[in-house]
Amino acid sequence: MMKMETDKIMDDSNSNSQYTSMILYDPARKKEPSPTFQSEKETCLTYFLKWNEADQVEYVELLLSRMCHYQHGHIDAFLKPMLQRDFISLLPKKGLDHIAENILSYLDADSLKAAELVCKEWLRVISEGMLWKKLIERKVRTDSLWRGLAERRGWIQYLFKPRPGTTHRQHSFYRALFPKIMNDIESIENNWRHGRHMLRRINCRSENSKGVYCLQYDDNKIVSGLRDNTIKIWDRSELKCVKTLTGHTGSVLCLQYDDKVIISGSSDSTVRVWDVNSGEMVNTLIHHCEAVLHLRFNNGMMVTCSKDRSIAVWDMTSPSEITLRRVLVGHRAAVNVVDFDEKYIVSASGDRTIKVWNTSTSEFLRTLNGHKRGIACLQYRDRLVVSGSSDNSIRLWDIECGACLRVLEGHEELVRCIRFDSKRIVSGAYDGKIKVWDLVAALDPRAQTSSLCLKTLVEHTGRVFRLQFDEFQIVSSSHDDTILIWDFLNYTPPESNSNRSPSPSLMEH
């Protein structure tokens, strides 16, 4: 029979003695210390205090090595509060307030809120360090939604460096401002999800042929390309036409502008360059032999595509010096849309295909197949391509492997325009409807198809030709000769018990 010994510990580098612990430690059985223990304890402490720190540590290690598991647990519970340090409270006492502030400035809103409740010293550091103000500033610097809200609501004036002759508000102002911003953001998201908006309308009043084929906007203006061969620039605040650019001899089918130029493409087969401030035409590019259907430019490069089935890549040295670099051929029908970044050029055509080209070398890379009819619109960003087709569907693609990730169905006619950001896809179609889709859910293969369309917006009375959107609004144009501004930020619920119409206010110009 083998005899099993428990809790036998043998280890001492300084002697050959063996120590055996046969009694388990139980705090509940603790008795009053004996007089012998009291006297011997004092003797041990006297010796202990005479030793240097290294000797004291070695002695304690020897004691711990001879204790049982339960004793270790008791020692651990005794040491834990002794080892904890409120470093935030200790730093200011050493004149290091700035370090305490810097540490807490990395907290998110929930953690900062919890930190305020730790103690008065933490609350003082947060308050004097203006950490709620710094948190808001960090959000505004890194998030376009916060930046847009700051500018539209006006509280950006209280952030960053104060204007000459002014001072910052007190900490309490920023502490109260943060939850108001969060409520504002939640309200905007709910308005998007439920289609609640304030609608403003621009009636373009074209004299001959009616229809607004393309547009782009910023905070101050909307630039639109019309079927009547003109480009009209509208003031955002008053929704009035402030400038009309003439020169094209066919419908203006596509345009893009930056802070220097407006570049437009037309059914007259030309690409024209205009000074964005004066409206003067500064260049005309004649290359395509049929209508220029779409164009994009960025960082000194422009790509145009045409009904003639070709894609042209241009080098832009200046508005007056734009030279043809390369012509890409491969599509078997009109090329309706192009997009590009520093890695890929992406084109879509009436031949039902999307083609991917190398931006720097113009080498053809791959074809994305899946649509059953011609493709009318497309946007490309990062790895994602979203396309709309005359098969009434929208497809999401991974550009690297060419896989179709999702098919969205719901439009009843050709999907003419499509845009997406990090949260949603917005599409417009010849059925006159604009649909808002949940992009995050669409990219999740587990999401049910029925849950992907968040809302359908119906106001246009004709085909939707073009749209653009940001976190706060959609701006769309149509064959009905109107531009609609769907404002999800400034929606005001109808007052109860009033005679007001429940529909959002409508302004016509």
Side-chain angles (χ1 to χ4, degrees):
M1 179 75 67
M2 179 183 292
K3 182 178 180 181
M4 182 177 289
E5 292 185 337
T6 59
D7 296 311
K8 187 172 183 180
I9 304 172
M10 300 173 58
D11 180 26
D12 189 352
S13 58
N14 297 326
S15 70
N16 294 322
S17 302
Q18 296 183 357
Y19 298 86
T20 305
S21 173
M22 302 301 294
I23 301 174
L24 299 179
Y25 176 75
D26 183 359
R29 296 188 304 177
K30 185 176 181 181
K31 299 178 181 179
E32 287 295 322
S34 65
T36 304
F37 168 76
Q38 291 285 21
S39 61
E40 290 177 348
K41 179 182 73 172
E42 293 301 325
T43 302
C44 288
L45 283 175
T46 302
Y47 284 120
F48 184 83
L49 294 173
K50 290 180 180 179
W51 301 331
N52 60 41
E53 288 186 1
D55 293 340
Q56 289 175 339
V57 169
E58 182 180 351
Y59 181 69
V60 171
E61 288 176 348
L62 288 171
L63 288 177
L64 290 171
S65 69
R66 284 152 180 78
M67 290 183 178
C68 70
H69 175 72
Y70 297 97
Q71 290 171 315
H72 289 154
H74 184 76
I75 297 297
D76 180 62
F78 178 75
L79 286 175
K80 271 184 178 177
M82 297 178 65
L83 294 174
Q84 291 173 346
R85 289 289 182 270
D86 182 358
F87 59 91
I88 296 298
S89 298
L90 291 173
L91 284 169
K93 293 176 181 178
K94 297 182 179 295
L96 300 173
D97 287 70
H98 62 289
I99 296 179
E101 291 171 11
N102 194 42
I103 293 169
L104 293 180
S105 71
Y106 287 95
L107 298 179
D108 59 23
D110 290 339
S111 302
L112 193 59
K113 194 185 302 181
E116 290 179 321
L117 303 176
V118 171
C119 64
K120 289 182 178 179
E121 184 60 23
W122 283 46
L123 180 61
R124 183 194 68 79
V125 172
I126 291 169
S127 176
E128 292 184 4
M130 302 288 282
L131 296 193
W132 283 102
K133 174 177 176 288
K134 291 176 181 176
L135 175 60
I136 295 171
E137 288 173 343
R138 188 164 74 244
K139 292 278 193 179
V140 169
R141 277 194 299 267
T142 58
D143 190 315
S144 59
L145 174 58
W146 281 72
R147 180 76 185 185
L149 263 182
E151 293 170 346
R152 286 165 172 79
R153 295 303 197 210
W155 42 264
I156 195 168
Q157 63 182 306
Y158 305 119
L159 303 178
F160 307 108
K161 291 184 179 180
R163 296 174 181 174
T166 63
T167 57
H168 282 309
R169 296 290 188 96
Q170 295 295 317
H171 170 76
S172 58
F173 169 81
Y174 302 98
R175 181 64 183 85
L177 176 61
F178 191 90
K180 292 178 181 177
I181 297 171
M182 295 306 297
N183 289 338
D184 221 0
I185 291 173
E186 183 180 1
S187 175
I188 293 167
E189 290 302 313
N190 286 333
N191 289 344
W192 272 100
R193 191 164 289 274
H194 296 99
R196 297 191 293 251
H197 58 273
M198 182 182 77
L199 189 68
R200 306 177 75 196
R201 183 189 305 267
I202 297 175
N203 191 333
C204 295
R205 305 187 192 280
S206 301
E207 294 182 3
N208 301 317
S209 51
K210 297 182 181 295
V212 186
Y213 281 129
C214 53
L215 63 82
Q216 185 183 333
Y217 71 85
D218 57 41
D219 291 339
N220 302 312
K221 64 182 176 296
I222 299 172
V223 180
S224 60
L226 280 70
R227 191 180 178 190
D228 68 5
N229 308 350
T230 66
I231 296 170
K232 289 187 176 180
I233 302 175
W234 309 85
D235 178 82
R236 278 299 300 265
S237 58
E238 298 183 2
L239 302 187
K240 292 181 179 179
C241 181
V242 293
K243 198 168 292 181
T244 301
L245 312 185
T246 59
H248 278 297
T249 56
S251 301
V252 180
L253 303 178
C254 54
L255 64 80
Q256 184 185 339
Y257 71 83
D258 60 13
D259 58 345
K260 295 179 181 178
V261 295
I262 300 170
I263 302 183
S264 57
S266 167
S267 59
D268 66 11
S269 306
T270 68
V271 175
R272 296 178 190 260
V273 184
W274 318 76
D275 184 285
V276 73
N277 296 310
S278 68
E280 177 188 0
M281 189 193 308
V282 296
N283 202 349
T284 301
L285 307 177
I286 301 173
H287 164 74
H288 290 290
C289 56
E290 292 192 64
V292 180
L293 301 178
H294 201 251
L295 64 85
R296 299 294 296 168
F297 71 87
N298 189 36
N299 291 332
M301 173 178 162
M302 178 170 67
V303 181
T304 60
C305 63
S306 170
K307 191 177 179 182
D308 65 14
R309 307 182 183 184
S310 75
I311 301 160
V313 183
W314 308 78
D315 290 312
M316 302 173 61
T317 305
S318 70
S320 59
E321 189 178 351
I322 301 175
T323 56
L324 184 65
R325 179 201 301 180
R326 190 75 177 266
V327 177
L328 310 181
V329 292
H331 282 293
R332 294 178 288 106
V335 185
N336 293 318
V337 59
V338 289
D339 204 353
F340 75 94
D341 63 10
E342 67 281 351
K343 190 172 185 180
Y344 297 125
I345 298 171
V346 186
S347 59
S349 166
D351 66 8
R352 308 178 185 183
T353 69
I354 296 169
K355 292 189 180 293
V356 183
W357 319 74
N358 182 288
T359 300
S360 58
T361 66
S362 298
E363 176 190 3
F364 169 73
L365 299 175
R366 66 186 66 92
T367 299
L368 311 183
N369 290 296
H371 279 295
K372 296 177 176 62
R373 299 185 68 182
I375 302 164
C377 57
L378 168 151
Q379 183 186 348
Y380 154 58
R381 190 180 69 195
D382 298 327
R383 289 185 63 142
L384 183 63
V385 175
V386 181
S387 59
S389 166
S390 56
D391 64 13
N392 305 350
S393 75
I394 297 164
R395 286 180 179 256
L396 283 63
W397 312 80
D398 183 328
I399 196 171
E400 297 293 347
C401 65
C404 180
L405 306 174
R406 173 76 74 168
V407 179
L408 304 177
E409 295 179 315
H411 280 295
E412 297 163 7
E413 294 186 47
L414 178 151
V415 182
R416 181 66 177 82
C417 49
I418 200 153
R419 304 298 295 170
F420 70 87
D421 63 9
S422 60
K423 297 178 183 177
R424 53 185 69 93
I425 302 168
V426 182
S427 59
Y430 277 6
D431 58 14
K433 298 173 182 177
I434 293 172
K435 288 184 178 288
V436 181
W437 311 80
D438 187 332
L439 174 60
V440 177
L443 292 172
D444 183 353
R446 299 166 298 177
Q448 295 294 319
T449 304
S450 59
S451 67
L452 301 180
C453 183
L454 301 177
K455 203 67 184 175
T456 300
L457 307 174
V458 184
E459 285 289 346
H460 281 297
T461 57
R463 297 172 169 179
V464 181
F465 284 141
R466 195 61 53 92
L467 62 80
Q468 182 186 342
F469 78 97
D470 57 42
E471 292 91 345
F472 310 105
Q473 63 194 326
I474 301 170
V475 181
S476 59
S477 67
S478 167
H479 189 267
D480 64 16
D481 210 39
T482 66
I483 297 170
L484 297 185
I485 303 167
W486 315 71
D487 185 347
F488 298 93
L489 172 63
N490 297 306
Y491 168 76
T492 304
E495 295 181 10
S496 57
N497 301 321
S498 70
N499 295 322
R500 289 187 180 183
S501 167
S503 62
S505 59
L506 186 68
M507 296 177 61
E508 288 203 11
H509 293 266

